[in-house]
Amino acid sequence: MKLQRKNRLRATAVGALAVSGALLLTACGSDNNTGSTGGTANSASAKNVKCDGAKGKLLASGSSAQKNAMDLWVKNYMAACEGVEINYKSSSSGEGITNFTAGTVGFAGSDSALKPEEVADSKKICKSGQGINLPMVGGPIAIGYNLPGVDSLVLDASATAKIFNNQIKKWNDPAIVKLNPDAKLPDKEIQSVHRSGDSGTTQNLGKYLGKAAPNDWKYEAEKKWPAPGGQGANGSAGVAAQVKQVEGSIGYFELSYATSQSIPTIKVSTGAAAPVAATSENASKAIAAAKVKGTGKDLALSLDYTTKAEGAYPLVLVTYEIVCDSGNNADSLANVKSFLGYTASDEGQKILSDNGYAPIPAEINTKVREIVAGLK
């Protein structure tokens, strides 16, 4: 890439960042980028991006669970498609859906599928259609902890539920000791940390606890944190930062946050022969069993949170990109189709397994690509 072109692309990204506080990554990519606007670009980081007439800005918002994947997708895509600015505001699933149904974004990211009432709201924006769920990112919800001297920690669904429900209050509680007979667990108060805002990650944790420990977690699986006690923090990044800082704390967030901050995570006792670690490979084993429960072009998935399959990590989530099946804004349609076409490509999905996420199963992802290509 020539210096002049580097500077021009960098200036474009910096200028856009000044306009918005949301995520916007620099468009300067590999020096081997030889792509051109509107064609199939070739670069060391994104060799087969189809820009397909995309131009200008694309605004999107929502799930913070996919932020680290979105960071990489945006960087690679903008390096390949000169003149396109992808602006993804990482906030929460709830905010993303609100923005989508208000018509202020081209697509939204959500860790939970649209509710019937949200589909109804979407019809006001999708004039000739409705909002649909396209699974794009999978991965484990890691439960990270800060307990110096305890390098390995096993919890089952019951103990996890009681910790976050403020029923188990100390690290040397008999229920935790039973699961960790060789660990030196301190007589120390547990400080649980949860998401303060509406969160699809919270809802997926609730689905897991409600299914796997129904006697200990009797709350409805909603985006708003339901249990007493604990401390709230903003976004997955805020929860991870709090766990990192506070000794004796425990919280939940996507694996990439634990990896980037070197936060140890629990292994889950599922009833399989051995406790299962939170890894993208183990999450993939659980997500591979997902079934499509949506109808028509909607690809909302049903996950098995009670799996006892060997090596399958049960506490998983899937992040959906939410778009109109038809009636998308004409000004953003080309950008949406081009960008989501890249994220659903083999190249885009490979980024997930390389960075602590789990790719969508191939059979389902094939359907995602077909639907993205046919968006109107």
Side-chain angles (χ1 to χ4, degrees):
M1 182 188 291
K2 295 182 179 179
L3 179 60
Q4 181 179 6
R5 182 179 174 189
K6 272 189 175 180
N7 292 337
R8 183 173 68 253
L9 292 171
R10 185 180 293 112
T12 299
V14 171
L17 184 59
V19 174
S20 169
L23 166 67
L24 186 58
L25 296 172
T26 175
C28 189
S30 165
D31 286 343
N32 294 325
N33 182 6
T34 58
S36 59
T37 304
T40 299
N42 294 299
S43 74
S45 57
K47 297 179 181 179
N48 297 297
V49 177
K50 295 181 179 179
C51 302
D52 286 341
K55 60 183 178 180
K57 295 180 181 179
L58 173 60
L59 301 180
S61 68
S63 166
S64 64
Q66 67 174 353
K67 177 186 181 299
N68 293 330
M70 191 62 72
D71 284 359
L72 295 168
W73 279 335
V74 170
K75 178 181 178 180
N76 289 352
Y77 180 84
M78 288 176 56
C81 296
E82 183 180 350
V84 185
E85 296 173 2
I86 308 296
N87 192 324
Y88 181 81
K89 181 183 178 183
S90 171
S91 50
S92 69
S93 298
E95 183 172 326
I97 291 173
T98 297
N99 291 339
F100 177 74
T101 55
T104 60
V105 294
F107 72 89
S110 176
D111 306 323
S112 295
L114 292 169
K115 295 179 179 179
E117 59 267 29
E118 292 168 339
V119 174
D121 288 342
S122 74
K123 293 180 180 179
K124 301 171 186 176
I125 299 302
C126 310
K127 299 298 184 182
S128 58
Q130 65 181 43
I132 56 172
N133 305 282
L134 300 179
M136 197 68 71
V137 183
I141 300 175
I143 297 182
Y145 65 95
N146 184 336
L147 209 56
V150 180
D151 298 326
S152 179
L153 184 68
V154 175
L155 295 177
D156 59 13
S158 175
T160 302
K162 289 177 179 178
I163 287 171
F164 282 107
N165 199 23
N166 205 34
Q167 292 175 303
I168 290 180
K169 301 187 178 187
K170 287 199 171 185
W171 281 109
N172 63 346
D173 185 277
I176 303 178
V177 172
K178 183 178 180 180
L179 291 163
N180 300 273
D182 297 326
K184 296 181 179 180
L185 295 166
D187 182 17
K188 187 176 184 64
E189 294 286 336
I190 297 174
Q191 173 63 64
S192 65
V193 187
H194 57 262
R195 293 281 292 272
S196 57
D198 286 0
S199 161
T201 310
T202 294
Q203 188 171 35
N204 280 277
L205 175 66
K207 289 177 181 178
Y208 161 71
L209 294 176
K211 294 290 187 181
N215 293 328
D216 303 305
W217 192 263
K218 298 183 181 297
Y219 306 101
E220 291 294 323
E222 299 291 347
K223 294 185 177 73
K224 185 176 180 63
W225 181 255
Q231 181 175 342
N234 186 32
S236 291
V239 175
Q242 190 72 8
V243 172
K244 180 73 172 179
Q245 294 168 10
V246 178
E247 188 173 320
S249 62
I250 187 170
Y252 58 95
F253 32 77
E254 294 65 46
L255 180 61
S256 59
Y257 291 90
T259 302
S260 64
Q261 298 194 46
S262 301
I263 299 172
T265 62
I266 71 162
K267 294 179 180 178
V268 177
S269 176
T270 64
V276 186
T279 68
S280 58
E281 180 182 2
N282 292 344
S284 292
K285 292 177 182 177
I287 294 173
K291 305 295 183 184
V292 175
K293 65 179 181 180
T295 58
K297 294 182 179 180
D298 185 87
L299 297 180
L301 301 179
S302 176
L303 300 169
D304 181 6
Y305 296 101
T306 61
T307 179
K308 295 181 181 180
E310 296 299 328
Y313 185 82
L315 182 45
V316 295
L317 61 73
V318 169
T319 301
Y320 301 94
E321 312 310 340
I322 295 173
V323 296
C324 298
D325 56 0
S326 64
N328 287 279
N329 187 314
D331 293 334
S332 61
L333 179 57
N335 291 13
V336 169
K337 292 176 69 172
S338 174
F339 180 66
L340 296 186
Y342 163 61
T343 63
S345 69
D346 288 341
E347 201 169 352
Q349 289 291 295
K350 186 178 185 301
I351 283 175
L352 300 179
S353 55
D354 289 345
N355 291 278
Y357 293 94
I360 300 302
E363 181 180 354
I364 297 171
N365 192 50
T366 297
K367 296 178 182 178
V368 172
R369 295 181 196 179
E370 292 172 355
I371 292 171
V372 169
L375 293 177
K376 300 177 181 178

